[in-house]
Amino acid sequence: MAEMNQATAQHLFEDGAVLILLDVPYGTEIGINMNSWQAAENFKGIKMIPPGLHFIYFSSCSSEGQLASRTGFFRYFREREVVVRKWNSFVETFDPEITDEEELNRFIQNKKELDRYCGAFPYDSYKKWVSLSRHITTETTGRVLPTCGYIMSATALLSECSNTASRASQSKSASVPLNKMTADNLMPEMKENLDTVINYTSIDRFIEGSDSAMITKCATDSELILNSVLERCGSWQNVLAELQWSFLCFLIGQHFDSFDQWKKLVALLCGNQSSIYKYEDLYTELISVLHFQLKELPEDFFVDIVSSNNFLTTTLHNLFANISESTASAGLKSRAQKFSDHLTKHFGWDFDLEPEDCEPVVVDEFGNY
């Protein structure tokens, strides 16, 4: 754990960014990266924020002390930047950033006065945050960020008014009296608000238009699918960036669709052997990314979510076997072996045993497994 020395503290005090949060209700959960708190009476924001990418999140608190679902957003802070957002109690979220230059200047001039009401950035976990986010760029965030700009842990739904009106019209002509119709028939049809959907790269089981032989090849070695994903993402660095982005949205943002995307990316990368030599830098960095990610998952997580279907043990077994059997450099093979040994020691996973679901997959001409 990195502690902030006096020189670093002085540097961040002078050159760090400040996030001013106005009118935050008492008890509201406010977090940045790996740390969160519940707002006190005079809370005004967070100071001494290092330049770069950060994840800000919040949950409103009821009068009974119950926290609502978490909402968050990624933000790149510049040196000495002052960002101001005001709480909107009607919708229980923050209004857009204040951009009026004259109004912003007033806050900048009052920065020292506001200082005592702002919490210091939790620098002791900053190194951990960097290790979990270092591949993420502004390009990544711009590509996958929902239209609304927020990561919402609870699915946002919209009602289809037209369907409701149609059902009401039908009910008037129905032979069954209105007061005896079920509540479900009178409820509006709900659909997910597409403005809140994260624009992750789609990962299919096989390339569209493939014949049965190609589908079988995709099922046993995902080189073609990986190439398709790399092409759409633009580079292998962007693939790792999305891997980190989805992991953070799940781990901190509590967004469970992001966990599904993370699993798909892990399975895709671990299930590929043909391209390991071609993308050796990708796999060298992948091991590092997975190392830091697995360190952050609590022990009971593996029991409750991952180990129930042996997802990680199976996919990582595939990764280590593929690297071992590839024509990759001795350096990558040594790195993979050290990672395997570390996981065996830490979690007790035996990667020498063949997983039950590693039998060859063959499909017929109709694409059936």
Side-chain angles (χ1 to χ4, degrees), residues 310 313-315 317-318 351-359:
N310 295 319
T313 52
T314 299
T315 51
H317 175 277
N318 292 338
F351 296 107
D352 293 329
L353 295 177
E354 189 77 12
E356 295 178 359
D357 59 352
C358 280
E359 298 178 359

Side-chain angles (χ1 to χ4, degrees), residues 2 4 32-37 46-50 119-127:
M4 191 188 306
I32 182 168
N33 303 342
M34 314 299 293
N35 298 79
S36 65
W37 317 265
I46 303 169
K47 61 184 178 180
M48 302 167 67
I49 302 173
F121 177 84
Y123 191 78
D124 57 349
S125 62
Y126 181 54
K127 186 176 180 181

Side-chain angles (χ1 to χ4, degrees), residues 83-88 91 93-99 150:
V83 178
V84 184
R85 301 191 70 162
K86 186 175 182 180
W87 183 262
N88 185 323
V91 291
T93 188
F94 289 98
D95 286 332
E97 294 179 12
I98 292 176
T99 56
Y150 287 111

Side-chain angles (χ1 to χ4, degrees), residues 2-279:
E3 295 184 0
M4 191 188 306
N5 57 40
Q6 190 164 351
T8 301
Q10 184 65 29
H11 169 70
L12 289 177
F13 180 78
E14 295 176 355
D15 298 329
V18 179
L19 175 63
I20 297 174
L21 302 173
L22 303 175
D23 300 336
V24 179
Y26 175 84
T28 301
E29 181 191 39
I30 298 290
I32 182 168
N33 303 342
M34 314 299 293
N35 298 79
S36 65
W37 317 265
Q38 286 191 271
E41 289 287 355
N42 295 316
F43 174 78
K44 298 294 183 186
I46 303 169
K47 61 184 178 180
M48 302 167 67
I49 302 173
L53 174 74
H54 299 279
F55 185 66
I56 316 299
Y57 50 98
F58 53 90
S59 299
S60 59
C61 185
S62 70
S63 56
E64 293 79 23
Q66 295 295 317
L67 291 175
S69 56
R70 182 171 288 182
T71 300
F73 58 92
F74 286 92
R75 179 65 161 79
Y76 284 83
F77 289 89
R78 301 187 305 273
E79 260 193 9
R80 302 185 182 183
E81 183 177 21
V82 175
V83 178
V84 184
R85 301 191 70 162
K86 186 175 182 180
W87 183 262
N88 185 323
S89 58
F90 181 72
V91 291
E92 296 189 329
T93 188
F94 289 98
D95 286 332
E97 294 179 12
I98 292 176
T99 56
D100 180 77
E101 190 172 342
E102 184 177 340
E103 191 173 0
L104 263 180
N105 282 334
R106 286 201 300 268
F107 286 105
I108 293 172
Q109 291 167 6
N110 293 329
K111 183 179 173 182
K112 288 187 177 180
E113 184 179 332
L114 290 167
D115 179 76
R116 58 178 172 166
Y117 301 114
C118 293
F121 177 84
Y123 191 78
D124 57 349
S125 62
Y126 181 54
K127 186 176 180 181
K128 180 187 298 184
W129 167 256
V130 171
S131 70
L132 292 169
S133 63
R134 65 191 183 89
H135 287 285
I136 300 175
T137 63
T138 52
E139 179 188 351
T140 309
T141 301
R143 179 170 57 86
V144 301
L145 190 70
T147 303
C148 70
Y150 287 111
I151 310 300
M152 298 183 175
S153 61
T155 302
L157 301 175
L158 292 174
S159 63
E160 295 199 14
C161 298
S162 58
N163 285 356
T164 304
S166 174
R167 293 183 184 189
S169 175
Q170 292 175 4
S171 70
K172 292 179 180 179
S173 59
S175 58
V176 180
L178 182 62
N179 60 359
K180 289 188 177 181
M181 296 192 69
T182 63
D184 287 344
N185 289 333
L186 297 177
M187 291 293 291
E189 185 175 336
M190 306 298 289
K191 64 176 182 178
E192 186 173 9
N193 184 352
L194 297 182
D195 286 347
T196 67
V197 175
I198 300 176
N199 301 303
Y200 285 129
T201 305
S202 61
I203 302 173
D204 300 316
R205 294 168 67 186
F206 51 84
I207 306 299
E208 186 176 352
S210 300
D211 57 20
S212 59
M214 188 62 69
I215 295 173
T216 298
K217 178 175 174 59
C218 289
T220 54
D221 188 349
S222 53
E223 178 186 11
L224 294 175
I225 301 174
L226 176 60
N227 288 338
S228 173
V229 170
L230 285 166
E231 182 178 354
R232 282 175 285 146
C233 287
S235 68
W236 64 261
Q237 290 92 338
N238 289 341
V239 174
L240 291 184
E242 188 166 325
L243 184 68
Q244 290 192 319
W245 213 87
S246 57
F247 182 81
L248 290 171
C249 285
F250 165 66
L251 181 70
I252 305 175
Q254 300 175 354
H255 186 268
F256 288 93
D257 284 348
S258 291
F259 175 61
D260 289 336
Q261 180 70 5
W262 178 75
K263 286 205 305 180
K264 288 177 183 178
L265 284 169
V266 171
L268 172 66
L269 294 167
C270 291
N272 186 290
Q273 181 185 121
S274 304
S275 296
I276 290 177
Y277 175 76
K278 184 178 179 181
Y279 299 111

